[in-house]
Amino acid sequence: MLETQRLILRKWTEEDAESLFEYAKDPEVGPITGWPPHKNVEESKNVIRNVLNGAECYAICRKENNIAIGSIELILNSHTDMTERDDECELGYWIGKPHWGNEYAPEAARRLIEHGFLDLGMRTIWCGYYDGNSKSRIVQEKLGFVFHHTCDEVDVPLLNEVRIGHTNILTRKHWLSGKMKNALYDQLARDYCCDAADIYSSDNIFSEYRQIAGQRQFKGQEKCPLKIAVVNGKLLFTGRREIVDECRKRYENASGKWFMDIEKFRELDSILSRYGCKLKSAHPFYLPTELSEQGVRKDTTDKTVDSMIKEDFNLVRYTGDEILQFKGDDRWCEAFCFDDNTPDVLAVAAVSSDEIIGMAGASADSDDFWQIGINVVQKAEGRHVGTALVSELTKDILRCGKIPYYGTGMSHIASQRVAAAAGYDVFWFELLTGK
């Protein structure tokens, strides 16, 4: 069973035959997707037994009554003519007419797409619609599908017709990259006290800092004299009004491409020193744009899961209060914060011969963004422990509906390689200041 904010996606049962017939008898529902209206409840029951029985076929139900109002499926290889690959599938769906216009189809599809990419290890999802089905086309556009090809002669055997069919595609990389970019711009808008539209613009942004719900929290940054981000080639400034105003005069038309150079650091330190402040840290930050095959797995329930990189260690997960057992253990100083402002929420440990050899932890820096920190003991270096930990924790965070991100030092090459191997790319650079 899968859930969304308003819906439950569960397996069909024969007890659903009457509700299926109620919607499937409508001539405006089935024919546009390629099947005839149902004639009676018994036919609907047979369809449940023989058609809506796929491994990833679900009844779409509203949470308030759990009654089926539509169907959605990831049609796996050997059951679809859109692909012959086991890591690709086809998305199909329909919603009963009384529920059109409520955005149930995209809501259900987003959850199933996430399930396909995160849990089933799919790399590509295909989806199609017949010419004239504008409702389905719009749903697919909302989901991020892009046009792939059109076929002028598609057999529709259940209706004994030939139609024009349009096929769209959504890759895991495209899905994840779009999800990350949109979430990042929303988060930076809160962090830098502006609107998301400002982040998308080409102009540098200068704002007076104020506390806003949902901002990322960093120790010592409560008053925030100045912080700067470089994203998409532009600059974001926020902080005390007088410092930001001086930065505006100097950097309003500056490019972000070469901003984080030592020369600019000297300039900024000169400005900050007049206000009793100084530069404190400068880091690149990464977001996942691909899910590393080294961590993809189908089982999401067991506490211990086998590593798919090396067979000489297992991965063990910890949540909530279970993490407190590691407080005071300096081996995991990067994995955990133990700070009430940025609570540690998830962790994955690499265990070999009953000994923990690596740990990755996630801290809730904001409501939406959870940062990954990692430690690997020296004797385990070179065994791909870091990549396994980050890959696994990334998917756990995404399953929680949060955004995983990863920060490291400019000269920490080993850490940067772990990020790249786990499917992360650099998205922005951030500079923090303090007293």
Side-chain angles (χ1 to χ4, degrees), residues 85-200:
R85 294 178 58 99
D86 290 335
D87 60 357
E88 299 184 355
C89 61
E90 177 189 353
L91 173 67
Y93 53 85
W94 61 265
I95 293 286
K97 185 178 177 181
H99 304 285
W100 290 0
N102 292 318
E103 297 289 305
Y104 289 144
E107 182 174 332
R110 287 189 187 99
R111 181 65 186 92
L112 196 57
I113 288 169
E114 178 182 79
H115 172 60
F117 286 140
L118 295 183
D119 302 328
L120 304 181
M122 296 294 149
R123 297 182 65 87
T124 299
I125 297 177
W126 299 86
C127 198
Y129 65 94
Y130 294 120
D131 202 49
N133 190 352
S134 60
K135 290 183 175 62
S136 189
R137 174 182 57 80
I138 291 170
V139 167
Q140 292 172 42
E141 289 173 352
K142 289 179 179 178
L143 296 171
F145 281 85
V146 295
F147 174 76
H148 188 270
H149 68 271
T150 291
C151 183
D152 292 333
E153 295 185 354
V154 178
D155 288 331
V156 188
L158 295 178
L159 297 175
N160 195 27
E161 295 177 1
V162 175
R163 296 181 180 176
I164 297 172
H166 305 285
T167 301
N168 293 328
I169 186 172
L170 180 64
T171 65
R172 189 168 65 195
K173 186 175 182 66
H174 179 74
W175 168 76
L176 193 56
S177 296
K179 183 183 182 74
M180 294 301 106
K181 181 178 178 180
N182 292 336
L184 173 62
Y185 285 14
D186 287 341
Q187 183 64 58
L188 290 179
R190 292 190 290 271
D191 295 341
Y192 285 82
C193 307
C194 60
D195 295 325
D198 295 330
I199 312 294
Y200 283 92

Side-chain angles (χ1 to χ4, degrees), residues 374 386-388 390 406 413-424:
I374 183 170
T387 301
V390 173
Y406 185 103
I413 305 302
S415 179
Q416 294 170 15
R417 286 174 176 167
V418 166
Y424 280 70

